[in-house]
Structure formats: C-alpha cells, structure tokens
Amino acid sequence: MLLNTTSFSFLLTGFPGMERAHHWISIPLLVVYISILLGNGTLLFLIRDDHNLHEPMYYFLAMLAATDLGVTLTTMPTVLGVLWLNHREISHGVCFSQAYFIHTLSVVESGVLLAMAYDRFIAICNPLRYTSILTNTQVMKIGVGILTRAVLSIMPIIIRLHWLPYCQSNVLSHAVCLHQDVIKLAYADITFNRLYPVVVVFATGLMDFLIIFISYILILKTVMSITSGEERAKALNTCISHICCILVFYITVVGLTIIHRFGKHAPRVVHITMSYVYFLFPPFMNPVIYSIKTKQIQSGILHLLSLSHSRV
C-alpha cells in the first residue's frame, strides 16, 4: 500500500528497547542542550557587545556560534519531545523542513570553518594586507556566499521528498528527521536521492577539508620561516582554537559516516547515540574551546561575570 505525503505522518523513534529509561536519558541531553544555548549565546552576546571583538576572526566565530545554535534548536526540542512526552508523530511537512535545516546547517558549518581558515591564512601569510582584504563588506559577502551555497545545494533532494510515494511503514529510526532515514521509506526510484548527496558531500565537505588542509600547510610553511621562536609560537597559537574546532567537526562526521557505512551489524542504539554525538558534540565543544584558548573571549566572559556580580 502506498501513502500520499499529504495524508500521513512519520513516527520518530527514541531508544528502542529502552523506553522506560527515556526520562533518565533525557537528563544529560537536556544539560548539554542548555549548555549549548548558554555557551553559544554568550559568544554571540560578547562579540556583539565588545568592540574589541569587532574583527573578521570573531565575526566568523559568531557565524559558527549561530550555526551551532541553529542545529541545536532544530533538533533538540523534537528529541526531548520524544523522550519526555513520547510525542513521536511528525507531519511530512515539518519532517522535511527539519531535514532541510539539519543538512543545510551542516554544509554551512563546513563553509564557516573554511572561512575561518582563510582568515588565519591571510592574517599569517599576508598580515600587511589583512585589514584591506578582510573588510566588513568582504566578511558579509563570504557569509552570504556560505549560506547561499548551503541553501541551494540541499534544496533539490528535499524538494523531491515531497513528490515521492511512501510505503505503509512510516517509522523513522531516529528522534529527528534525516534525509537518509526518510528516503528508506520511499516506494520509488531513489537513485537521484542516493547519488546527489554524495556529490554534495564531495563538493562541499571534502573540498572544504582539502582546502583547509592546504591552507594550513602554507600557514605552517610561513610560520617556520619566522626567525623568532616567540613569534612562531604566537602565530601558531592564534590557529589552535580553529584547528580544534575542525578536528571536532570532521571527526564526528567521519565517525557517523563509518557507523552508517560499516556498522550495519552494530546495535541500533550505537547508530542513534552517534547521531546525537554528531548534533551535540561540536556545538557543545566550540564555545568551550574558544573560551579556553582565546584571551579576548576569556576577558569578555570575566567582564560579564564581574558585571553580574556587581549588580547582585
């Protein structure tokens, strides 16, 4: 039996076989959720409020924080609804919209990390022209370009979901809607929806990573040519936070990919847990990394805390 997308809903899935523990499982997820909101929200507030942070490096950091907030706000309310209230039903329109935002924001995050690498490349390899190259207008153009690339690249596969017929089975394997999960329920030729994401991953994620890798080779070459050891250490230190964020993002992406491709015999709970790690770990870690490694952010947080304490 085939179902039309206008007349049925999908059913989301929490942790199969662990339904009695859903309330307990939701507690650490809620703690991480709140931490992500506070961490990334604080970064955005500091960058907006502190004129010392009105520089290209921090504008790109603000884009990263906004993207991480977007990912979390798109996914976690649905997840907590499933775990707390057993609210599993989700309409096809909301499901497809959620999948669109999730995958679009993933491409945006990759693009922002690439832009941050470009910022570090100009700052270290061409410091005298840094302010003339990365003007506010240029930063805005880069941001618009990143968003446009993501919006347009994901749109074709999500639009096609609306036109596909679906089997009577409407149970998804996660607590959020993912394209690769929805497409398994389609009763039609899904060759395009299987091949096109591979092209997108290659043209965005993989290419972004290769360009970032090459840029850091050039950065390292420039740093090694600096005679002063202190100046070399100072130059490299400005890149540490960005490198950590790159590792956090791409390690989770690779981990999730390996689990989906080669972990077919692994318990479903492993797949589901890895998806939560993918959604939550980078947004949780990015503010922590920049708070620990960036003195300007540390100063801003301490100033914010001192103001709060004085008001009390």
Side-chain angles (χ1 to χ4, degrees), residues 15-62:
F15 288 83
M18 303 175 65
E19 286 79 8
R20 291 185 179 181
H22 273 181
H23 286 85
W24 294 106
I25 294 171
S26 69
I27 293 174
L29 291 178
L30 178 62
V31 171
V32 173
Y33 179 38
I34 294 172
S35 300
I36 290 170
L37 296 181
L38 289 175
N40 289 285
T42 300
L43 280 183
L44 287 172
F45 176 80
L46 287 176
I47 294 169
R48 182 188 69 85
D49 196 57
D50 190 343
H51 290 284
N52 294 322
L53 301 180
H54 290 183
E55 299 177 7
M57 173 183 173
Y58 299 107
Y59 292 148
F60 289 130
L61 177 57

mmCIF file of all heavy atoms in Angstrom, residues 15-62:
data_model
loop_
_atom_site.group_PDB
_atom_site.id
_atom_site.type_symbol
_atom_site.label_atom_id
_atom_site.label_comp_id
_atom_site.label_asym_id
_atom_site.label_seq_id
_atom_site.Cartn_x
_atom_site.Cartn_y
_atom_site.Cartn_z
ATOM 1 N N PHE A 15 15.030 5.576 21.852
ATOM 2 C CA PHE A 15 15.994 4.488 22.016
ATOM 3 C C PHE A 15 15.202 3.185 22.119
ATOM 4 O O PHE A 15 14.648 2.880 23.177
ATOM 5 C CB PHE A 15 16.846 4.700 23.277
ATOM 6 C CG PHE A 15 17.845 5.804 23.159
ATOM 7 C CD1 PHE A 15 17.461 7.120 23.384
ATOM 8 C CD2 PHE A 15 19.166 5.544 22.818
ATOM 9 C CE1 PHE A 15 18.376 8.157 23.274
ATOM 10 C CE2 PHE A 15 20.090 6.569 22.709
ATOM 11 C CZ PHE A 15 19.699 7.873 22.934
ATOM 12 N N PRO A 16 15.118 2.411 21.034
ATOM 13 C CA PRO A 16 14.310 1.184 21.037
ATOM 14 C C PRO A 16 14.753 0.216 22.133
ATOM 15 O O PRO A 16 15.948 -0.024 22.331
ATOM 16 C CB PRO A 16 14.584 0.584 19.647
ATOM 17 C CG PRO A 16 15.042 1.736 18.816
ATOM 18 C CD PRO A 16 15.779 2.643 19.746
ATOM 19 N N GLY A 17 13.766 -0.314 22.865
ATOM 20 C CA GLY A 17 14.056 -1.252 23.944
ATOM 21 C C GLY A 17 14.432 -0.584 25.241
ATOM 22 O O GLY A 17 14.620 -1.254 26.269
ATOM 23 N N MET A 18 14.566 0.740 25.220
ATOM 24 C CA MET A 18 14.957 1.475 26.432
ATOM 25 C C MET A 18 13.914 2.550 26.769
ATOM 26 O O MET A 18 14.225 3.559 27.383
ATOM 27 C CB MET A 18 16.329 2.121 26.223
ATOM 28 C CG MET A 18 17.435 1.147 25.858
ATOM 29 S SD MET A 18 19.010 1.960 25.468
ATOM 30 C CE MET A 18 19.423 2.680 27.052
ATOM 31 N N GLU A 19 12.679 2.313 26.365
ATOM 32 C CA GLU A 19 11.622 3.312 26.551
ATOM 33 C C GLU A 19 11.438 3.701 28.009
ATOM 34 O O GLU A 19 11.150 4.866 28.311
ATOM 35 C CB GLU A 19 10.294 2.794 25.973
ATOM 36 C CG GLU A 19 10.226 2.803 24.454
ATOM 37 C CD GLU A 19 10.963 1.634 23.812
ATOM 38 O OE1 GLU A 19 11.409 0.727 24.573
ATOM 39 O OE2 GLU A 19 11.097 1.610 22.576
ATOM 40 N N ARG A 20 11.597 2.745 28.928
ATOM 41 C CA ARG A 20 11.414 3.054 30.351
ATOM 42 C C ARG A 20 12.491 3.992 30.879
ATOM 43 O O ARG A 20 12.296 4.659 31.897
ATOM 44 C CB ARG A 20 11.410 1.757 31.160
ATOM 45 C CG ARG A 20 10.179 0.890 30.922
ATOM 46 C CD ARG A 20 10.183 -0.314 31.847
ATOM 47 N NE ARG A 20 8.996 -1.147 31.659
ATOM 48 C CZ ARG A 20 8.742 -2.250 32.366
ATOM 49 N NH1 ARG A 20 9.591 -2.658 33.296
ATOM 50 N NH2 ARG A 20 7.635 -2.942 32.137
ATOM 51 N N ALA A 21 13.623 4.020 30.196
ATOM 52 C CA ALA A 21 14.736 4.869 30.641
ATOM 53 C C ALA A 21 14.787 6.201 29.908
ATOM 54 O O ALA A 21 15.710 6.994 30.114
ATOM 55 C CB ALA A 21 16.057 4.125 30.450
ATOM 56 N N HIS A 22 13.793 6.472 29.051
ATOM 57 C CA HIS A 22 13.815 7.702 28.250
ATOM 58 C C HIS A 22 13.914 8.963 29.102
ATOM 59 O O HIS A 22 14.636 9.901 28.754
ATOM 60 C CB HIS A 22 12.567 7.768 27.364
ATOM 61 C CG HIS A 22 12.742 7.061 26.066
ATOM 62 N ND1 HIS A 22 11.765 7.004 25.094
ATOM 63 C CD2 HIS A 22 13.800 6.373 25.550
ATOM 64 C CE1 HIS A 22 12.205 6.311 24.056
ATOM 65 N NE2 HIS A 22 13.433 5.914 24.318
ATOM 66 N N HIS A 23 13.193 8.992 30.231
ATOM 67 C CA HIS A 23 13.251 10.180 31.081
ATOM 68 C C HIS A 23 14.652 10.391 31.651
ATOM 69 O O HIS A 23 15.124 11.526 31.770
ATOM 70 C CB HIS A 23 12.228 10.071 32.218
ATOM 71 C CG HIS A 23 10.813 10.271 31.765
ATOM 72 N ND1 HIS A 23 10.047 9.242 31.244
ATOM 73 C CD2 HIS A 23 10.040 11.392 31.725
ATOM 74 C CE1 HIS A 23 8.848 9.714 30.927
ATOM 75 N NE2 HIS A 23 8.812 11.006 31.199
ATOM 76 N N TRP A 24 15.302 9.293 32.008
ATOM 77 C CA TRP A 24 16.676 9.401 32.553
ATOM 78 C C TRP A 24 17.664 9.786 31.457
ATOM 79 O O TRP A 24 18.577 10.580 31.684
ATOM 80 C CB TRP A 24 17.086 8.074 33.195
ATOM 81 C CG TRP A 24 16.291 7.734 34.409
ATOM 82 C CD1 TRP A 24 15.314 6.787 34.522
ATOM 83 C CD2 TRP A 24 16.371 8.363 35.695
ATOM 84 N NE1 TRP A 24 14.785 6.782 35.778
ATOM 85 C CE2 TRP A 24 15.416 7.728 36.532
ATOM 86 C CE3 TRP A 24 17.165 9.381 36.216
ATOM 87 C CZ2 TRP A 24 15.234 8.090 37.864
ATOM 88 C CZ3 TRP A 24 16.988 9.757 37.546
ATOM 89 C CH2 TRP A 24 16.033 9.121 38.350
ATOM 90 N N ILE A 25 17.481 9.222 30.272
ATOM 91 C CA ILE A 25 18.367 9.550 29.155
ATOM 92 C C ILE A 25 18.236 11.027 28.790
ATOM 93 O O ILE A 25 19.213 11.677 28.388
ATOM 94 C CB ILE A 25 18.036 8.667 27.929
ATOM 95 C CG1 ILE A 25 18.356 7.198 28.230
ATOM 96 C CG2 ILE A 25 18.822 9.124 26.694
ATOM 97 C CD1 ILE A 25 17.855 6.223 27.173
ATOM 98 N N SER A 26 17.028 11.570 28.944
ATOM 99 C CA SER A 26 16.798 12.969 28.560
ATOM 100 C C SER A 26 17.532 13.959 29.463
ATOM 101 O O SER A 26 17.791 15.091 29.041
ATOM 102 C CB SER A 26 15.301 13.278 28.578
ATOM 103 O OG SER A 26 14.792 13.277 29.903
ATOM 104 N N ILE A 27 17.881 13.544 30.696
ATOM 105 C CA ILE A 27 18.517 14.483 31.636
ATOM 106 C C ILE A 27 19.876 14.961 31.130
ATOM 107 O O ILE A 27 20.117 16.173 31.043
ATOM 108 C CB ILE A 27 18.623 13.858 33.041
ATOM 109 C CG1 ILE A 27 17.214 13.664 33.627
ATOM 110 C CG2 ILE A 27 19.478 14.737 33.970
ATOM 111 C CD1 ILE A 27 17.192 12.921 34.944
ATOM 112 N N PRO A 28 20.830 14.053 30.782
ATOM 113 C CA PRO A 28 22.110 14.555 30.245
ATOM 114 C C PRO A 28 21.944 15.305 28.935
ATOM 115 O O PRO A 28 22.664 16.274 28.687
ATOM 116 C CB PRO A 28 22.958 13.287 30.061
ATOM 117 C CG PRO A 28 21.991 12.152 30.046
ATOM 118 C CD PRO A 28 20.852 12.576 30.922
ATOM 119 N N LEU A 29 20.983 14.882 28.105
ATOM 120 C CA LEU A 29 20.748 15.601 26.848
ATOM 121 C C LEU A 29 20.248 17.019 27.117
ATOM 122 O O LEU A 29 20.647 17.967 26.436
ATOM 123 C CB LEU A 29 19.741 14.841 25.985
ATOM 124 C CG LEU A 29 20.203 13.503 25.395
ATOM 125 C CD1 LEU A 29 19.072 12.852 24.612
ATOM 126 C CD2 LEU A 29 21.429 13.690 24.509
ATOM 127 N N LEU A 30 19.390 17.170 28.135
ATOM 128 C CA LEU A 30 18.888 18.495 28.496
ATOM 129 C C LEU A 30 20.012 19.373 29.032
ATOM 130 O O LEU A 30 20.084 20.562 28.695
ATOM 131 C CB LEU A 30 17.782 18.367 29.551
ATOM 132 C CG LEU A 30 17.193 19.689 30.071
ATOM 133 C CD1 LEU A 30 16.530 20.469 28.936
ATOM 134 C CD2 LEU A 30 16.201 19.431 31.202
ATOM 135 N N VAL A 31 20.895 18.793 29.839
ATOM 136 C CA VAL A 31 22.032 19.547 30.380
ATOM 137 C C VAL A 31 22.930 20.044 29.252
ATOM 138 O O VAL A 31 23.355 21.209 29.228
ATOM 139 C CB VAL A 31 22.846 18.680 31.377
ATOM 140 C CG1 VAL A 31 24.140 19.380 31.778
ATOM 141 C CG2 VAL A 31 22.005 18.372 32.619
ATOM 142 N N VAL A 32 23.214 19.163 28.295
ATOM 143 C CA VAL A 32 24.045 19.550 27.147
ATOM 144 C C VAL A 32 23.329 20.610 26.314
ATOM 145 O O VAL A 32 23.949 21.577 25.856
ATOM 146 C CB VAL A 32 24.375 18.311 26.280
ATOM 147 C CG1 VAL A 32 25.084 18.725 25.002
ATOM 148 C CG2 VAL A 32 25.246 17.335 27.063
ATOM 149 N N TYR A 33 22.033 20.434 26.122
ATOM 150 C CA TYR A 33 21.217 21.393 25.355
ATOM 151 C C TYR A 33 21.297 22.787 25.965
ATOM 152 O O TYR A 33 21.573 23.780 25.274
ATOM 153 C CB TYR A 33 19.778 20.884 25.331
ATOM 154 C CG TYR A 33 18.784 21.757 24.597
ATOM 155 C CD1 TYR A 33 19.120 22.427 23.422
ATOM 156 C CD2 TYR A 33 17.475 21.899 25.063
ATOM 157 C CE1 TYR A 33 18.194 23.202 22.743
ATOM 158 C CE2 TYR A 33 16.542 22.670 24.390
ATOM 159 C CZ TYR A 33 16.912 23.321 23.237
ATOM 160 O OH TYR A 33 15.994 24.095 22.567
ATOM 161 N N ILE A 34 21.093 22.877 27.273
ATOM 162 C CA ILE A 34 21.154 24.170 27.967
ATOM 163 C C ILE A 34 22.563 24.753 27.883
ATOM 164 O O ILE A 34 22.739 25.960 27.677
ATOM 165 C CB ILE A 34 20.708 24.018 29.432
ATOM 166 C CG1 ILE A 34 19.217 23.647 29.492
ATOM 167 C CG2 ILE A 34 20.960 25.308 30.213
ATOM 168 C CD1 ILE A 34 18.724 23.291 30.881
ATOM 169 N N SER A 35 23.581 23.892 28.033
ATOM 170 C CA SER A 35 24.980 24.347 27.951
ATOM 171 C C SER A 35 25.290 24.936 26.579
ATOM 172 O O SER A 35 25.981 25.955 26.475
ATOM 173 C CB SER A 35 25.930 23.180 28.243
ATOM 174 O OG SER A 35 25.717 22.647 29.540
ATOM 175 N N ILE A 36 24.771 24.289 25.534
ATOM 176 C CA ILE A 36 24.986 24.782 24.169
ATOM 177 C C ILE A 36 24.332 26.148 23.983
ATOM 178 O O ILE A 36 24.924 27.070 23.418
ATOM 179 C CB ILE A 36 24.440 23.772 23.144
ATOM 180 C CG1 ILE A 36 25.312 22.514 23.116
ATOM 181 C CG2 ILE A 36 24.383 24.388 21.743
ATOM 182 C CD1 ILE A 36 24.724 21.372 22.315
ATOM 183 N N LEU A 37 23.102 26.287 24.466
ATOM 184 C CA LEU A 37 22.399 27.565 24.352
ATOM 185 C C LEU A 37 23.147 28.663 25.098
ATOM 186 O O LEU A 37 23.328 29.779 24.574
ATOM 187 C CB LEU A 37 20.969 27.432 24.893
ATOM 188 C CG LEU A 37 20.028 26.479 24.149
ATOM 189 C CD1 LEU A 37 18.654 26.486 24.810
ATOM 190 C CD2 LEU A 37 19.906 26.867 22.683
ATOM 191 N N LEU A 38 23.591 28.365 26.313
ATOM 192 C CA LEU A 38 24.304 29.368 27.112
ATOM 193 C C LEU A 38 25.668 29.692 26.509
ATOM 194 O O LEU A 38 26.047 30.859 26.410
ATOM 195 C CB LEU A 38 24.477 28.860 28.547
ATOM 196 C CG LEU A 38 23.215 28.789 29.410
ATOM 197 C CD1 LEU A 38 23.527 28.158 30.764
ATOM 198 C CD2 LEU A 38 22.618 30.179 29.602
ATOM 199 N N GLY A 39 26.412 28.662 26.102
ATOM 200 C CA GLY A 39 27.762 28.862 25.575
ATOM 201 C C GLY A 39 27.776 29.661 24.288
ATOM 202 O O GLY A 39 28.469 30.682 24.175
ATOM 203 N N ASN A 40 26.990 29.218 23.325
ATOM 204 C CA ASN A 40 26.970 29.913 22.028
ATOM 205 C C ASN A 40 26.245 31.249 22.119
ATOM 206 O O ASN A 40 26.629 32.213 21.447
ATOM 207 C CB ASN A 40 26.318 29.023 20.972
ATOM 208 C CG ASN A 40 27.192 27.851 20.579
ATOM 209 O OD1 ASN A 40 28.165 28.002 19.851
ATOM 210 N ND2 ASN A 40 26.865 26.674 21.087
ATOM 211 N N GLY A 41 25.222 31.318 22.964
ATOM 212 C CA GLY A 41 24.537 32.589 23.180
ATOM 213 C C GLY A 41 25.456 33.625 23.798
ATOM 214 O O GLY A 41 25.438 34.803 23.412
ATOM 215 N N THR A 42 26.294 33.187 24.752
ATOM 216 C CA THR A 42 27.264 34.092 25.384
ATOM 217 C C THR A 42 28.285 34.593 24.373
ATOM 218 O O THR A 42 28.633 35.782 24.368
ATOM 219 C CB THR A 42 27.985 33.374 26.548
ATOM 220 O OG1 THR A 42 27.016 32.961 27.518
ATOM 221 C CG2 THR A 42 28.997 34.299 27.205
ATOM 222 N N LEU A 43 28.760 33.692 23.507
ATOM 223 C CA LEU A 43 29.716 34.110 22.469
ATOM 224 C C LEU A 43 29.106 35.176 21.565
ATOM 225 O O LEU A 43 29.747 36.201 21.278
ATOM 226 C CB LEU A 43 30.141 32.903 21.623
ATOM 227 C CG LEU A 43 31.214 31.968 22.180
ATOM 228 C CD1 LEU A 43 31.533 30.886 21.164
ATOM 229 C CD2 LEU A 43 32.477 32.726 22.547
ATOM 230 N N LEU A 44 27.883 34.961 21.130
ATOM 231 C CA LEU A 44 27.221 35.931 20.255
ATOM 232 C C LEU A 44 27.028 37.267 20.972
ATOM 233 O O LEU A 44 27.238 38.340 20.380
ATOM 234 C CB LEU A 44 25.865 35.386 19.792
ATOM 235 C CG LEU A 44 25.912 34.264 18.753
ATOM 236 C CD1 LEU A 44 24.520 33.690 18.528
ATOM 237 C CD2 LEU A 44 26.486 34.759 17.439
ATOM 238 N N PHE A 45 26.656 37.223 22.237
ATOM 239 C CA PHE A 45 26.456 38.456 23.012
ATOM 240 C C PHE A 45 27.769 39.216 23.172
ATOM 241 O O PHE A 45 27.822 40.441 22.986
ATOM 242 C CB PHE A 45 25.869 38.123 24.385
ATOM 243 C CG PHE A 45 25.717 39.322 25.273
ATOM 244 C CD1 PHE A 45 24.641 40.187 25.112
ATOM 245 C CD2 PHE A 45 26.660 39.596 26.254
ATOM 246 C CE1 PHE A 45 24.502 41.308 25.930
ATOM 247 C CE2 PHE A 45 26.533 40.713 27.081
ATOM 248 C CZ PHE A 45 25.445 41.570 26.913
ATOM 249 N N LEU A 46 28.843 38.489 23.498
ATOM 250 C CA LEU A 46 30.145 39.136 23.695
ATOM 251 C C LEU A 46 30.642 39.783 22.408
ATOM 252 O O LEU A 46 31.133 40.919 22.418
ATOM 253 C CB LEU A 46 31.174 38.114 24.190
ATOM 254 C CG LEU A 46 31.037 37.626 25.634
ATOM 255 C CD1 LEU A 46 32.068 36.547 25.913
ATOM 256 C CD2 LEU A 46 31.194 38.780 26.612
ATOM 257 N N ILE A 47 30.521 39.052 21.291
ATOM 258 C CA ILE A 47 31.018 39.572 20.013
ATOM 259 C C ILE A 47 30.208 40.793 19.575
ATOM 260 O O ILE A 47 30.746 41.743 19.006
ATOM 261 C CB ILE A 47 30.990 38.463 18.946
ATOM 262 C CG1 ILE A 47 32.004 37.363 19.312
ATOM 263 C CG2 ILE A 47 31.304 39.021 17.556
ATOM 264 C CD1 ILE A 47 31.888 36.097 18.494
ATOM 265 N N ARG A 48 28.927 40.786 19.869
ATOM 266 C CA ARG A 48 28.101 41.943 19.524
ATOM 267 C C ARG A 48 28.375 43.131 20.435
ATOM 268 O O ARG A 48 28.418 44.289 19.989
ATOM 269 C CB ARG A 48 26.617 41.573 19.625
ATOM 270 C CG ARG A 48 25.661 42.698 19.237
ATOM 271 C CD ARG A 48 24.228 42.335 19.533
ATOM 272 N NE ARG A 48 23.972 42.264 20.963
ATOM 273 C CZ ARG A 48 23.665 43.315 21.730
ATOM 274 N NH1 ARG A 48 23.589 44.529 21.194
ATOM 275 N NH2 ARG A 48 23.444 43.157 23.011
ATOM 276 N N ASP A 49 28.622 42.849 21.720
ATOM 277 C CA ASP A 49 28.699 43.913 22.724
ATOM 278 C C ASP A 49 30.099 44.494 22.898
ATOM 279 O O ASP A 49 30.234 45.673 23.253
ATOM 280 C CB ASP A 49 28.193 43.369 24.067
ATOM 281 C CG ASP A 49 27.859 44.460 25.063
ATOM 282 O OD1 ASP A 49 27.028 45.323 24.726
ATOM 283 O OD2 ASP A 49 28.430 44.452 26.170
ATOM 284 N N ASP A 50 31.145 43.679 22.670
ATOM 285 C CA ASP A 50 32.527 44.104 22.925
ATOM 286 C C ASP A 50 33.167 44.595 21.627
ATOM 287 O O ASP A 50 33.393 43.816 20.697
ATOM 288 C CB ASP A 50 33.329 42.931 23.499
ATOM 289 C CG ASP A 50 34.699 43.361 24.019
ATOM 290 O OD1 ASP A 50 35.159 44.469 23.660
ATOM 291 O OD2 ASP A 50 35.313 42.580 24.772
ATOM 292 N N HIS A 51 33.486 45.883 21.568
ATOM 293 C CA HIS A 51 34.074 46.460 20.352
ATOM 294 C C HIS A 51 35.471 45.907 20.065
ATOM 295 O O HIS A 51 35.945 45.967 18.925
ATOM 296 C CB HIS A 51 34.122 47.986 20.464
ATOM 297 C CG HIS A 51 32.765 48.630 20.413
ATOM 298 N ND1 HIS A 51 32.054 48.772 19.239
ATOM 299 C CD2 HIS A 51 31.976 49.133 21.398
ATOM 300 C CE1 HIS A 51 30.895 49.359 19.483
ATOM 301 N NE2 HIS A 51 30.813 49.585 20.797
ATOM 302 N N ASN A 52 36.147 45.371 21.084
ATOM 303 C CA ASN A 52 37.463 44.752 20.859
ATOM 304 C C ASN A 52 37.355 43.467 20.039
ATOM 305 O O ASN A 52 38.358 42.983 19.502
ATOM 306 C CB ASN A 52 38.133 44.439 22.206
ATOM 307 C CG ASN A 52 38.475 45.699 22.980
ATOM 308 O OD1 ASN A 52 38.886 46.706 22.391
ATOM 309 N ND2 ASN A 52 38.315 45.651 24.299
ATOM 310 N N LEU A 53 36.150 42.909 19.967
ATOM 311 C CA LEU A 53 35.926 41.663 19.219
ATOM 312 C C LEU A 53 35.304 41.917 17.854
ATOM 313 O O LEU A 53 34.893 40.983 17.177
ATOM 314 C CB LEU A 53 35.022 40.724 20.033
ATOM 315 C CG LEU A 53 35.537 40.318 21.413
ATOM 316 C CD1 LEU A 53 34.539 39.398 22.107
ATOM 317 C CD2 LEU A 53 36.901 39.638 21.326
ATOM 318 N N HIS A 54 35.256 43.176 17.447
ATOM 319 C CA HIS A 54 34.700 43.504 16.128
ATOM 320 C C HIS A 54 35.790 43.395 15.065
ATOM 321 O O HIS A 54 36.244 44.375 14.494
ATOM 322 C CB HIS A 54 34.071 44.904 16.147
ATOM 323 C CG HIS A 54 32.819 44.975 16.963
ATOM 324 N ND1 HIS A 54 32.056 46.117 17.075
ATOM 325 C CD2 HIS A 54 32.183 44.027 17.701
ATOM 326 C CE1 HIS A 54 31.023 45.874 17.858
ATOM 327 N NE2 HIS A 54 31.085 44.609 18.252
ATOM 328 N N GLU A 55 36.205 42.153 14.858
ATOM 329 C CA GLU A 55 37.242 41.816 13.884
ATOM 330 C C GLU A 55 36.774 40.620 13.071
ATOM 331 O O GLU A 55 35.921 39.845 13.541
ATOM 332 C CB GLU A 55 38.567 41.484 14.587
ATOM 333 C CG GLU A 55 39.146 42.627 15.406
ATOM 334 C CD GLU A 55 40.416 42.212 16.135
ATOM 335 O OE1 GLU A 55 40.885 41.076 15.881
ATOM 336 O OE2 GLU A 55 40.924 43.005 16.945
ATOM 337 N N PRO A 56 37.319 40.437 11.854
ATOM 338 C CA PRO A 56 36.877 39.316 11.000
ATOM 339 C C PRO A 56 36.918 37.966 11.687
ATOM 340 O O PRO A 56 35.986 37.162 11.542
ATOM 341 C CB PRO A 56 37.865 39.372 9.834
ATOM 342 C CG PRO A 56 38.244 40.812 9.736
ATOM 343 C CD PRO A 56 38.282 41.308 11.159
ATOM 344 N N MET A 57 37.968 37.709 12.464
ATOM 345 C CA MET A 57 38.100 36.418 13.146
ATOM 346 C C MET A 57 36.890 36.134 14.029
ATOM 347 O O MET A 57 36.350 35.017 14.057
ATOM 348 C CB MET A 57 39.383 36.417 13.985
ATOM 349 C CG MET A 57 39.553 35.207 14.881
ATOM 350 S SD MET A 57 41.048 35.351 15.886
ATOM 351 C CE MET A 57 40.863 33.943 16.963
ATOM 352 N N TYR A 58 36.436 37.156 14.747
ATOM 353 C CA TYR A 58 35.319 36.974 15.673
ATOM 354 C C TYR A 58 33.973 37.036 14.962
ATOM 355 O O TYR A 58 32.990 36.451 15.435
ATOM 356 C CB TYR A 58 35.412 38.009 16.796
ATOM 357 C CG TYR A 58 36.695 37.861 17.590
ATOM 358 C CD1 TYR A 58 37.731 38.782 17.459
ATOM 359 C CD2 TYR A 58 36.886 36.760 18.423
ATOM 360 C CE1 TYR A 58 38.916 38.625 18.155
ATOM 361 C CE2 TYR A 58 38.073 36.593 19.123
ATOM 362 C CZ TYR A 58 39.080 37.527 18.984
ATOM 363 O OH TYR A 58 40.255 37.360 19.672
ATOM 364 N N TYR A 59 33.912 37.724 13.838
ATOM 365 C CA TYR A 59 32.691 37.682 13.037
ATOM 366 C C TYR A 59 32.443 36.265 12.522
ATOM 367 O O TYR A 59 31.304 35.774 12.528
ATOM 368 C CB TYR A 59 32.780 38.654 11.854
ATOM 369 C CG TYR A 59 32.774 40.111 12.249
ATOM 370 C CD1 TYR A 59 33.468 41.058 11.504
ATOM 371 C CD2 TYR A 59 32.077 40.561 13.369
ATOM 372 C CE1 TYR A 59 33.466 42.404 11.854
ATOM 373 C CE2 TYR A 59 32.074 41.901 13.730
ATOM 374 C CZ TYR A 59 32.772 42.812 12.968
ATOM 375 O OH TYR A 59 32.774 44.133 13.318
ATOM 376 N N PHE A 60 33.510 35.610 12.069
ATOM 377 C CA PHE A 60 33.371 34.223 11.621
ATOM 378 C C PHE A 60 33.021 33.309 12.798
ATOM 379 O O PHE A 60 32.247 32.360 12.640
ATOM 380 C CB PHE A 60 34.654 33.752 10.943
ATOM 381 C CG PHE A 60 34.908 34.387 9.604
ATOM 382 C CD1 PHE A 60 36.146 34.971 9.309
ATOM 383 C CD2 PHE A 60 33.919 34.424 8.638
ATOM 384 C CE1 PHE A 60 36.379 35.561 8.081
ATOM 385 C CE2 PHE A 60 34.140 35.016 7.395
ATOM 386 C CZ PHE A 60 35.376 35.584 7.120
ATOM 387 N N LEU A 61 33.585 33.599 13.969
ATOM 388 C CA LEU A 61 33.241 32.828 15.166
ATOM 389 C C LEU A 61 31.758 32.998 15.500
ATOM 390 O O LEU A 61 31.091 32.041 15.908
ATOM 391 C CB LEU A 61 34.113 33.264 16.343
ATOM 392 C CG LEU A 61 33.819 32.583 17.685
ATOM 393 C CD1 LEU A 61 33.935 31.071 17.583
ATOM 394 C CD2 LEU A 61 34.764 33.124 18.766
ATOM 395 N N ALA A 62 31.247 34.214 15.324
ATOM 396 C CA ALA A 62 29.820 34.471 15.555
ATOM 397 C C ALA A 62 28.972 33.646 14.577
ATOM 398 O O ALA A 62 27.922 33.112 14.956
ATOM 399 C CB ALA A 62 29.522 35.956 15.404
#
